[in-house]
């Protein structure tokens, strides 16, 4: 079973990878890039430090452009980010048998709805897995126990989220980034404890 | 962190236990009994064969009686089974720090809703985990790979589900059990592969 875990270098996607690995899946971590800015370095480093196979998947920049247009029109990032996530999952479903991401119980965006998961699995003959059964407290406790974490204000040099290339494009278009993406602290996985 | 996994001896609850164990939790499997019929033997055997700690928790028979009254009034088991599950989780939340069950993505009953999980975690200061992020195909594949399974028509001698003591009480009350609980094939975990 060819298994991809969408990977940002954060604790959620790292934990998803660890669970599948410890259940015997041959996990490949996959980080998405659209060719605007190489936001994949943090994820590549985290993957290497954890000892997982890792791949950067370069997808059509049009997906990112569409998302940025949506975000500018909405003055809000959710629909744009969700658009990217859905396009990415659809792409992966043609290449892998099992697709996973680090979506957890409280996450709203990006997230596949129950009927979207059912449709994806039926149309593409794949299996989709996420962390919806686990809440943030359990993920935090488990991550603190398993991983060395680096906590810092999220910026384009320490995260491989979709958000990073969106920020670069918004900036090029003269948009005020910090109103759309408020500053937040993020935990990056930098190795095993 | 004192961790309980509600345990029936089936593949869902076994997989939940394996995931938490492999993430470093000190797992205790817990099987519920209401003193009507000892339905716990299959779960005790499965737990022993997998090498997990196991405990039978005897709860107030009134919970089971209420559930059976609901099932007879509804002519349908769902509300009664959900009633038991909610009472059991509330009880465990006073005794453990982390509570888990084998509810998976497609399950409807018994299942805690998102707002019920939030309320439980906030009121009781506990963490609740289930398999909602995983679908039946992935659970089947993983279980086939990890466990020796025994597939058979579900009956009071090969399952420790809540259903078994409900069946005994319904029978005592002269109710037609097979209309309320249609026959189904169930997979019991009988050891590691």
């Amino acid at each position: 079973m060819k298994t991809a875990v969408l990977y940002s270098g954060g604790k959620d996607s790292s934990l998803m990878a660890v669970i599948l690995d410890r259940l015997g899946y041959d996990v490949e971590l996959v980080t998405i890039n659209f060719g605007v800015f190489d936001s994949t370095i943090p994820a590549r480093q985290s993957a290497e430090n954890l000892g997982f196979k890792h791949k950067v998947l370069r997808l059509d920049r049009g997906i990112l452009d569409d998302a940025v247009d949506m975000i500018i029109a909405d003055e809000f990032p959710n629909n744009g980010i969700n658009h990217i996530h859905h396009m990415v999952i659809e792409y992966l479903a043609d290449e892998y048998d099992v697709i996973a991401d680090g979506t957890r119980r409280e996450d709203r965006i990006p997230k596949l709805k129950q009927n979207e998961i059912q449709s994806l699995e039926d149309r593409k003959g794949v299996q989709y897995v996420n962390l919806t059964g686990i809440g943030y407290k359990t993920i935090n406790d488990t991550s603190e126990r398993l991983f060395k974490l680096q906590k810092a204000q999220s910026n384009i040099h320490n995260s491989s989220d979709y958000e990073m290339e969106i920020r670069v494009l918004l900036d090029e278009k003269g948009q005020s980034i910090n109103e759309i993406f408020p500053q937040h602290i993020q935990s990056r996985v930098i190795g095993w404890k």
Side-chain angles (χ1 to χ4, degrees), chain A residues 79 81-83 85-87 89-90 93 99 101 103 108-130:
Chain A
N79 291 330
I81 289 175
N82 222 21
H83 173 69
H85 192 60
H86 280 71
M87 298 300 282
I89 297 273
E90 287 288 322
I99 303 158
D101 65 49
T103 316
R108 292 286 163 271
I109 291 292
K111 188 163 204 164
L112 270 67
K113 297 197 189 81
Q114 172 83 17
N115 60 333
E116 292 170 340
I117 295 170
Q118 198 60 56
S119 163
L120 175 82
E121 291 195 337
D122 291 348
R123 280 183 294 113
K124 304 275 192 175
V126 295
Q127 297 174 29
Y128 169 79
V129 179
N130 66 21

Side-chain angles (χ1 to χ4, degrees), chain A residues 66-188:
Chain A
D66 288 348
V68 167
D69 288 345
M70 292 164 85
I71 290 169
I72 292 172
D74 293 348
E75 296 179 7
F76 198 65
N78 287 9
N79 291 330
I81 289 175
N82 222 21
H83 173 69
I84 294 176
H85 192 60
H86 280 71
M87 298 300 282
V88 166
I89 297 273
E90 287 288 322
Y91 182 91
L92 290 176
D94 290 328
E95 306 291 321
Y96 292 87
D97 305 307
V98 178
I99 303 158
D101 65 49
T103 316
R104 59 195 192 182
R105 194 201 294 144
E106 300 86 359
D107 283 342
R108 292 286 163 271
I109 291 292
K111 188 163 204 164
L112 270 67
K113 297 197 189 81
Q114 172 83 17
N115 60 333
E116 292 170 340
I117 295 170
Q118 198 60 56
S119 163
L120 175 82
E121 291 195 337
D122 291 348
R123 280 183 294 113
K124 304 275 192 175
V126 295
Q127 297 174 29
Y128 169 79
V129 179
N130 66 21
L131 293 182
T132 304
I134 312 185
Y136 76 96
K137 281 183 225 150
T138 310
I139 290 177
N140 286 353
D141 283 359
T142 310
S143 301
E144 294 280 353
R145 192 154 33 74
L146 295 177
F147 305 129
K148 270 192 218 139
L149 297 170
Q150 191 176 64
K151 292 176 197 183
Q153 288 252 333
S154 173
N155 68 51
I156 57 168
H157 303 296
N158 67 12
S159 171
S160 301
D161 283 344
Y162 305 135
E163 185 183 319
M164 300 308 137
E165 284 188 288
I166 296 172
R167 279 173 181 254
V168 172
L169 271 195
L170 286 173
D171 193 40
E172 282 180 20
K173 289 174 187 255
Q175 299 287 322
S176 171
I177 300 168
N178 288 335
E179 281 174 25
I180 291 175
F181 293 111
Q183 294 290 320
H184 62 275
I185 300 291
Q186 61 133 30
S187 296
R188 209 189 121 209

Side-chain angles (χ1 to χ4, degrees), chain A residues 16-46:
Chain A
M16 184 75 263
V18 169
I19 289 173
L20 288 174
D21 177 62
R22 293 187 180 180
L23 291 178
Y25 286 84
D26 184 17
V27 169
E28 183 169 53
L29 305 183
V30 176
T31 304
I32 304 301
N33 190 261
F34 296 102
V36 165
F37 167 77
D38 186 5
S39 54
T40 67
I41 297 167
R44 278 190 273 155
Q45 286 174 341
S46 300

